[in-house]
Amino acid sequence: MFPTSNRGFLKFLIVLIAFQDVAAGVAGSIMADLIVAFPEFSPTTVMLIATIPGLLQIFPSLFYGKLANKFSKRALLTTGLILFIIGGIMPFFLSNLFAIIVFRGILGLGVGITLPLSIDIITGFFDGRERDFLIGFGTSTIACVGAIFFQVVGGMLADSYGWNYGFLVYLFPIWILAITFMFLPEPKKQDVPNASIKDVLFKAPKTVYGFTIGQIIFSAFIFGYVTNISIIIQTEGLGNATEAGLAISLFTTGTLITGFIFGRLRSMLPNMIVPLGVLLTATGILWCSAVGSLTMIFVASVLGGMGLGIVL
Protein backbone atom coordinates (compact mmCIF):
# COMPACT_ATOMS: atom_id res chain seq x y z
CA MET A 1 0.00 0.00 0.00
CA PHE A 2 1.14 3.56 -0.68
CA PRO A 3 2.86 5.17 2.36
CA THR A 4 0.35 6.91 4.62
CA SER A 5 2.34 10.17 4.61
CA ASN A 6 1.91 10.39 0.82
CA ARG A 7 -1.75 9.40 0.59
CA GLY A 8 -2.83 12.98 -0.03
CA PHE A 9 -0.49 13.26 -3.01
CA LEU A 10 -1.66 9.86 -4.23
CA LYS A 11 -5.29 11.05 -4.15
CA PHE A 12 -4.28 14.13 -6.13
CA LEU A 13 -2.59 11.99 -8.80
CA ILE A 14 -5.56 9.64 -9.07
CA VAL A 15 -8.26 12.29 -9.48
CA LEU A 16 -5.97 14.12 -11.91
CA ILE A 17 -6.40 11.23 -14.34
CA ALA A 18 -10.12 12.02 -14.59
CA PHE A 19 -9.42 15.63 -15.64
CA GLN A 20 -9.45 14.80 -19.36
CA ASP A 21 -12.09 12.05 -19.30
CA VAL A 22 -14.83 14.17 -20.90
CA ALA A 23 -12.60 16.60 -22.78
CA ALA A 24 -13.69 15.61 -26.29
CA GLY A 25 -16.27 18.45 -26.23
CA VAL A 26 -13.82 21.02 -27.60
CA ALA A 27 -15.10 20.31 -31.12
CA GLY A 28 -18.63 21.18 -30.03
CA SER A 29 -17.65 24.71 -29.06
CA ILE A 30 -16.05 25.38 -32.48
CA MET A 31 -18.50 23.38 -34.60
CA ALA A 32 -19.83 26.41 -36.49
CA ASP A 33 -16.25 27.38 -37.40
CA LEU A 34 -15.52 23.83 -38.54
CA ILE A 35 -18.58 23.77 -40.80
CA VAL A 36 -17.46 27.04 -42.38
CA ALA A 37 -13.91 25.68 -42.78
CA PHE A 38 -15.18 22.64 -44.73
CA PRO A 39 -17.99 23.98 -46.96
CA GLU A 40 -17.57 21.13 -49.45
CA PHE A 41 -18.88 18.64 -46.87
CA SER A 42 -22.33 18.38 -45.32
CA PRO A 43 -22.69 19.59 -41.70
CA THR A 44 -23.55 16.01 -40.68
CA THR A 45 -20.19 14.79 -41.95
CA VAL A 46 -18.30 17.61 -40.23
CA MET A 47 -20.11 16.81 -36.98
CA LEU A 48 -18.30 13.46 -36.93
CA ILE A 49 -15.38 15.44 -35.51
CA ALA A 50 -17.44 15.84 -32.34
CA THR A 51 -19.23 12.50 -32.27
CA ILE A 52 -16.59 9.97 -33.35
CA PRO A 53 -14.63 10.10 -30.04
CA GLY A 54 -17.73 9.04 -28.12
CA LEU A 55 -18.31 6.15 -30.51
CA LEU A 56 -14.76 4.79 -30.50
CA GLN A 57 -14.24 5.10 -26.75
CA ILE A 58 -16.79 2.29 -26.39
CA PHE A 59 -14.46 -0.37 -27.77
CA PRO A 60 -11.50 -0.23 -25.34
CA SER A 61 -14.00 0.22 -22.50
CA LEU A 62 -15.72 -3.05 -23.49
CA PHE A 63 -12.43 -4.95 -23.35
CA TYR A 64 -10.89 -3.06 -20.44
CA GLY A 65 -11.09 -6.10 -18.15
CA LYS A 66 -8.96 -8.18 -20.51
CA LEU A 67 -6.53 -5.31 -21.03
CA ALA A 68 -6.17 -4.82 -17.27
CA ASN A 69 -5.39 -8.52 -16.77
CA LYS A 70 -2.72 -8.46 -19.47
CA PHE A 71 -1.02 -5.08 -18.93
CA SER A 72 0.02 -3.03 -15.90
CA LYS A 73 -2.02 0.00 -14.88
CA ARG A 74 0.94 2.27 -15.60
CA ALA A 75 1.25 0.88 -19.13
CA LEU A 76 -2.48 1.38 -19.75
CA LEU A 77 -2.38 4.91 -18.33
CA THR A 78 0.60 5.87 -20.47
CA THR A 79 -0.97 4.38 -23.59
CA GLY A 80 -4.33 6.04 -22.95
CA LEU A 81 -2.86 9.49 -22.33
CA ILE A 82 -0.52 9.27 -25.35
CA LEU A 83 -3.43 8.33 -27.61
CA PHE A 84 -5.45 11.17 -26.09
CA ILE A 85 -2.71 13.76 -26.62
CA ILE A 86 -1.82 12.66 -30.17
CA GLY A 87 -5.46 12.38 -31.22
CA GLY A 88 -6.21 15.75 -29.65
CA ILE A 89 -3.31 17.79 -31.01
CA MET A 90 -2.91 16.43 -34.55
CA PRO A 91 -6.03 18.18 -35.99
CA PHE A 92 -4.14 21.45 -35.42
CA PHE A 93 -1.72 20.46 -38.19
CA LEU A 94 -4.30 19.03 -40.61
CA SER A 95 -6.60 20.48 -43.26
CA ASN A 96 -8.10 17.18 -44.45
CA LEU A 97 -11.45 16.52 -42.80
CA PHE A 98 -11.20 12.73 -42.85
CA ALA A 99 -7.69 12.80 -41.38
CA ILE A 100 -9.02 15.00 -38.57
CA ILE A 101 -11.87 12.54 -37.95
CA VAL A 102 -9.37 9.65 -37.78
CA PHE A 103 -7.27 11.41 -35.14
CA ARG A 104 -10.40 12.35 -33.20
CA GLY A 105 -11.16 8.64 -33.18
CA ILE A 106 -7.69 8.00 -31.74
CA LEU A 107 -8.51 10.49 -28.99
CA GLY A 108 -11.67 8.50 -28.28
CA LEU A 109 -9.66 5.30 -27.95
CA GLY A 110 -7.47 7.03 -25.37
CA VAL A 111 -10.50 8.14 -23.36
CA GLY A 112 -11.90 4.60 -23.60
CA ILE A 113 -8.81 3.41 -21.71
CA THR A 114 -8.43 6.19 -19.13
CA LEU A 115 -12.13 6.44 -18.23
CA PRO A 116 -12.48 2.96 -16.63
CA LEU A 117 -8.83 3.05 -15.57
CA SER A 118 -9.37 6.07 -13.32
CA ILE A 119 -11.96 4.09 -11.33
CA ASP A 120 -9.89 0.90 -11.41
CA ILE A 121 -6.86 2.65 -9.91
CA ILE A 122 -8.99 4.11 -7.12
CA THR A 123 -10.28 0.66 -6.15
CA GLY A 124 -6.71 -0.64 -6.26
CA PHE A 125 -5.48 1.78 -3.59
CA PHE A 126 -8.51 2.68 -1.48
CA ASP A 127 -11.60 1.11 0.00
CA GLY A 128 -14.62 2.12 2.07
CA ARG A 129 -15.55 5.78 2.28
CA GLU A 130 -12.25 6.96 0.80
CA ARG A 131 -12.92 4.88 -2.30
CA ASP A 132 -16.52 6.07 -2.67
CA PHE A 133 -15.53 9.72 -2.22
CA LEU A 134 -12.71 9.54 -4.75
CA ILE A 135 -14.87 7.79 -7.34
CA GLY A 136 -17.57 10.46 -7.02
CA PHE A 137 -15.16 13.37 -6.75
CA GLY A 138 -12.89 12.19 -9.56
CA THR A 139 -15.40 10.94 -12.09
CA SER A 140 -17.89 13.75 -11.46
CA THR A 141 -16.37 16.93 -10.04
CA ILE A 142 -12.87 16.81 -11.52
CA ALA A 143 -14.10 15.44 -14.86
CA CYS A 144 -16.63 18.28 -15.09
CA VAL A 145 -13.99 20.88 -14.19
CA GLY A 146 -11.77 19.41 -16.90
CA ALA A 147 -14.58 19.54 -19.44
CA ILE A 148 -15.27 23.20 -18.63
CA PHE A 149 -11.58 24.03 -19.02
CA PHE A 150 -11.23 22.33 -22.41
CA GLN A 151 -14.48 23.76 -23.78
CA VAL A 152 -13.89 27.39 -22.76
CA VAL A 153 -10.15 27.56 -23.51
CA GLY A 154 -10.60 25.72 -26.81
CA GLY A 155 -13.27 28.21 -27.87
CA MET A 156 -11.12 31.18 -26.86
CA LEU A 157 -8.12 29.89 -28.84
CA ALA A 158 -10.31 29.30 -31.89
CA ASP A 159 -11.74 32.83 -31.71
CA SER A 160 -8.35 34.44 -31.22
CA TYR A 161 -6.28 32.60 -33.81
CA GLY A 162 -8.43 30.26 -35.96
CA TRP A 163 -10.43 27.04 -35.62
CA ASN A 164 -7.39 24.76 -35.69
CA TYR A 165 -5.83 26.54 -32.69
CA GLY A 166 -8.72 25.30 -30.56
CA PHE A 167 -7.14 21.84 -30.65
CA LEU A 168 -3.94 23.12 -29.01
CA VAL A 169 -5.76 22.93 -25.68
CA TYR A 170 -4.92 19.22 -25.81
CA LEU A 171 -1.29 20.12 -25.06
CA PHE A 172 -2.39 20.58 -21.46
CA PRO A 173 -2.60 16.85 -20.57
CA ILE A 174 1.13 16.45 -21.32
CA TRP A 175 1.91 17.51 -17.76
CA ILE A 176 -0.70 15.05 -16.46
CA LEU A 177 1.08 12.29 -18.39
CA ALA A 178 4.46 13.38 -17.03
CA ILE A 179 3.48 13.70 -13.38
CA THR A 180 1.46 10.49 -13.21
CA PHE A 181 4.16 8.53 -15.04
CA MET A 182 6.83 9.74 -12.62
CA PHE A 183 4.99 9.45 -9.34
CA LEU A 184 1.95 7.15 -9.58
CA PRO A 185 2.87 3.70 -8.20
CA GLU A 186 1.52 0.46 -9.62
CA PRO A 187 -1.39 -0.73 -7.46
CA LYS A 188 -1.31 -4.22 -6.04
CA LYS A 189 -2.80 -6.69 -8.50
CA GLN A 190 -6.10 -8.07 -7.27
CA ASP A 191 -7.43 -11.54 -7.91
CA VAL A 192 -10.57 -11.16 -10.01
CA PRO A 193 -12.75 -14.13 -10.98
CA ASN A 194 -12.27 -14.81 -14.68
CA ALA A 195 -15.95 -14.90 -15.59
CA SER A 196 -16.93 -14.73 -19.24
CA ILE A 197 -19.44 -12.27 -20.67
CA LYS A 198 -21.78 -15.21 -21.26
CA ASP A 199 -21.66 -16.06 -17.54
CA VAL A 200 -22.63 -12.60 -16.29
CA LEU A 201 -24.47 -10.81 -19.09
CA PHE A 202 -28.00 -11.94 -18.27
CA LYS A 203 -27.75 -12.25 -14.49
CA ALA A 204 -28.55 -8.63 -13.60
CA PRO A 205 -32.11 -7.55 -12.77
CA LYS A 206 -34.20 -6.59 -15.81
CA THR A 207 -34.29 -2.99 -14.58
CA VAL A 208 -30.55 -2.73 -15.22
CA TYR A 209 -31.00 -3.51 -18.91
CA GLY A 210 -33.89 -1.07 -19.22
CA PHE A 211 -31.84 1.73 -17.70
CA THR A 212 -28.84 0.83 -19.86
CA ILE A 213 -30.82 0.97 -23.11
CA GLY A 214 -32.50 4.17 -21.96
CA GLN A 215 -29.14 5.72 -21.13
CA ILE A 216 -27.82 4.91 -24.62
CA ILE A 217 -30.80 6.62 -26.27
CA PHE A 218 -30.61 9.55 -23.84
CA SER A 219 -26.88 10.05 -24.48
CA ALA A 220 -27.49 10.01 -28.24
CA PHE A 221 -29.89 12.93 -27.89
CA ILE A 222 -27.39 14.83 -25.73
CA PHE A 223 -25.05 14.92 -28.73
CA GLY A 224 -27.71 16.97 -30.50
CA TYR A 225 -27.02 19.76 -28.03
CA VAL A 226 -23.22 19.43 -28.13
CA THR A 227 -22.99 19.48 -31.92
CA ASN A 228 -25.60 22.18 -32.60
CA ILE A 229 -25.34 24.80 -29.85
CA SER A 230 -22.33 26.44 -31.54
CA ILE A 231 -24.24 26.62 -34.82
CA ILE A 232 -27.30 28.19 -33.13
CA ILE A 233 -25.24 30.80 -31.29
CA GLN A 234 -23.13 31.85 -34.27
CA THR A 235 -25.74 31.69 -37.06
CA GLU A 236 -28.17 33.73 -34.93
CA GLY A 237 -25.43 36.31 -34.32
CA LEU A 238 -25.52 35.77 -30.56
CA GLY A 239 -21.81 35.11 -30.10
CA ASN A 240 -18.74 33.24 -31.30
CA ALA A 241 -16.85 30.07 -30.40
CA THR A 242 -15.97 31.46 -26.97
CA GLU A 243 -19.65 31.92 -26.12
CA ALA A 244 -20.45 28.48 -27.56
CA GLY A 245 -17.74 26.95 -25.39
CA LEU A 246 -19.15 28.82 -22.41
CA ALA A 247 -22.66 27.48 -23.12
CA ILE A 248 -21.38 23.89 -23.24
CA SER A 249 -19.34 24.48 -20.09
CA LEU A 250 -22.46 25.79 -18.33
CA PHE A 251 -24.25 22.63 -19.41
CA THR A 252 -21.41 20.74 -17.71
CA THR A 253 -21.69 23.07 -14.70
CA GLY A 254 -25.34 22.06 -14.35
CA THR A 255 -24.22 18.43 -14.24
CA LEU A 256 -21.69 19.35 -11.56
CA ILE A 257 -24.30 21.18 -9.45
CA THR A 258 -26.59 18.15 -9.47
CA GLY A 259 -23.76 16.03 -8.10
CA PHE A 260 -23.85 18.00 -4.87
CA ILE A 261 -27.63 17.73 -4.35
CA PHE A 262 -28.39 14.35 -5.92
CA GLY A 263 -28.69 12.50 -2.60
CA ARG A 264 -31.31 14.91 -1.30
CA LEU A 265 -33.24 14.88 -4.58
CA ARG A 266 -33.28 11.10 -4.66
CA SER A 267 -34.57 10.87 -1.09
CA MET A 268 -37.35 13.36 -1.88
CA LEU A 269 -38.37 11.78 -5.21
CA PRO A 270 -37.19 8.17 -5.14
CA ASN A 271 -39.45 6.95 -7.95
CA MET A 272 -39.50 10.10 -10.07
CA ILE A 273 -35.83 11.09 -10.08
CA VAL A 274 -35.00 9.71 -13.55
CA PRO A 275 -38.14 11.09 -15.27
CA LEU A 276 -37.32 14.44 -13.62
CA GLY A 277 -33.81 14.33 -15.06
CA VAL A 278 -35.05 13.53 -18.56
CA LEU A 279 -37.67 16.29 -18.34
CA LEU A 280 -35.14 18.91 -17.20
CA THR A 281 -32.70 17.99 -19.98
CA ALA A 282 -35.43 18.01 -22.65
CA THR A 283 -36.74 21.37 -21.39
CA GLY A 284 -33.27 22.90 -21.37
CA ILE A 285 -32.40 21.74 -24.90
CA LEU A 286 -35.78 22.79 -26.34
CA TRP A 287 -35.42 26.16 -24.62
CA CYS A 288 -32.01 26.64 -26.27
CA SER A 289 -33.58 26.13 -29.69
CA ALA A 290 -36.47 28.51 -29.03
CA VAL A 291 -34.97 31.59 -27.36
CA GLY A 292 -33.15 34.40 -29.12
CA SER A 293 -31.02 35.56 -26.23
CA LEU A 294 -27.53 34.38 -25.30
CA THR A 295 -28.32 34.85 -21.60
CA MET A 296 -31.37 32.62 -21.87
CA ILE A 297 -29.33 29.98 -23.73
CA PHE A 298 -26.87 30.04 -20.82
CA VAL A 299 -29.72 29.58 -18.32
CA ALA A 300 -31.27 26.80 -20.41
CA SER A 301 -27.88 25.08 -20.70
CA VAL A 302 -27.50 24.96 -16.92
CA LEU A 303 -31.02 23.52 -16.63
CA GLY A 304 -30.33 20.86 -19.26
CA GLY A 305 -27.04 19.97 -17.61
CA MET A 306 -28.75 19.52 -14.24
CA GLY A 307 -31.10 17.00 -15.83
CA LEU A 308 -28.14 15.17 -17.37
CA GLY A 309 -26.45 15.05 -13.97
CA ILE A 310 -29.51 13.39 -12.43
CA VAL A 311 -29.69 10.72 -15.12
CA LEU A 312 -25.97 10.00 -14.96
Side-chain angles (χ1 to χ4, degrees):
M1 184 63 68
F2 202 73
T4 303
S5 59
N6 292 327
R7 287 176 73 83
F9 184 58
L10 175 61
K11 292 176 182 178
F12 167 74
L13 291 176
I14 288 174
V15 299
L16 194 62
I17 298 170
F19 189 83
Q20 85 300 322
D21 278 348
V22 287
V26 170
S29 62
I30 62 174
M31 184 53 62
D33 294 331
L34 290 168
I35 290 174
V36 171
F38 298 100
E40 66 273 26
F41 296 99
S42 70
T44 303
T45 302
V46 178
M47 286 178 184
L48 286 172
I49 296 175
T51 56
I52 202 71
L55 175 64
L56 289 190
Q57 78 179 55
I58 294 172
F59 297 102
S61 297
L62 281 175
F63 299 103
Y64 176 79
K66 293 186 178 297
L67 292 173
N69 286 333
K70 190 171 183 179
F71 302 101
S72 69
K73 301 295 189 294
R74 287 172 60 85
L76 289 174
L77 175 61
T78 303
T79 302
L81 286 175
I82 288 175
L83 290 174
F84 180 89
I85 294 168
I86 292 175
I89 294 173
M90 281 304 296
F92 169 76
F93 302 99
L94 302 171
S95 57
N96 182 283
L97 177 63
F98 293 106
I100 292 173
I101 292 171
V102 168
F103 278 102
R104 291 287 292 174
I106 292 173
L107 178 143
L109 293 176
V111 174
I113 294 174
T114 60
L115 189 60
L117 177 65
S118 59
I119 297 176
D120 191 15
I121 290 179
I122 291 172
T123 60
F125 283 112
F126 299 96
D127 52 27
R129 290 186 177 181
E130 279 187 309
R131 177 195 62 201
D132 295 340
F133 170 77
L134 288 171
I135 289 176
F137 184 72
T139 59
S140 176
T141 306
I142 297 300
C144 286
V145 170
I148 292 168
F149 168 83
F150 281 98
Q151 291 153 1
V152 174
V153 175
M156 292 173 65
L157 288 171
D159 280 335
S160 300
Y161 305 105
W163 66 264
N164 56 322
Y165 282 85
F167 293 102
L168 285 183
V169 73
Y170 290 109
L171 287 169
F172 185 81
I174 290 177
W175 78 275
I176 298 178
L177 173 62
I179 195 172
T180 53
F181 182 79
M182 288 189 296
F183 298 109
L184 186 69
E186 179 70 21
K188 184 179 179 181
K189 197 168 184 65
Q190 298 176 340
D191 293 327
V192 180
N194 190 24
S196 67
I197 294 179
K198 183 179 179 181
D199 292 332
V200 300
L201 184 58
F202 299 107
K203 290 189 176 181
K206 293 180 180 179
T207 307
V208 172
Y209 303 103
F211 272 107
T212 302
I213 294 170
Q215 177 66 30
I216 292 171
I217 297 171
F218 180 79
S219 298
F221 283 114
I222 293 298
F223 269 105
Y225 170 86
V226 174
T227 55
N228 285 290
I229 193 65
S230 173
I231 300 170
I232 291 174
I233 289 175
Q234 296 195 48
T235 56
E236 295 293 326
L238 302 176
N240 50 30
T242 301
E243 280 74 27
L246 183 56
I248 298 175
S249 69
L250 287 172
F251 196 89
T252 308
T253 301
T255 304
L256 180 61
I257 292 170
T258 306
F260 292 110
I261 61 174
F262 176 75
R264 182 171 296 180
L265 285 173
R266 188 176 184 184
S267 64
M268 292 169 57
L269 302 165
N271 297 321
M272 294 299 296
I273 190 68
V274 173
L276 173 64
V278 174
L279 178 63
L280 287 176
T281 302
T283 302
I285 293 177
L286 286 172
W287 194 0
C288 285
S289 69
V291 299
S293 162
L294 185 62
T295 301
M296 287 296 98
I297 285 179
F298 287 164
V299 173
S301 295
V302 174
L303 184 65
M306 290 181 69
L308 173 62
I310 290 174
V311 177
L312 290 178

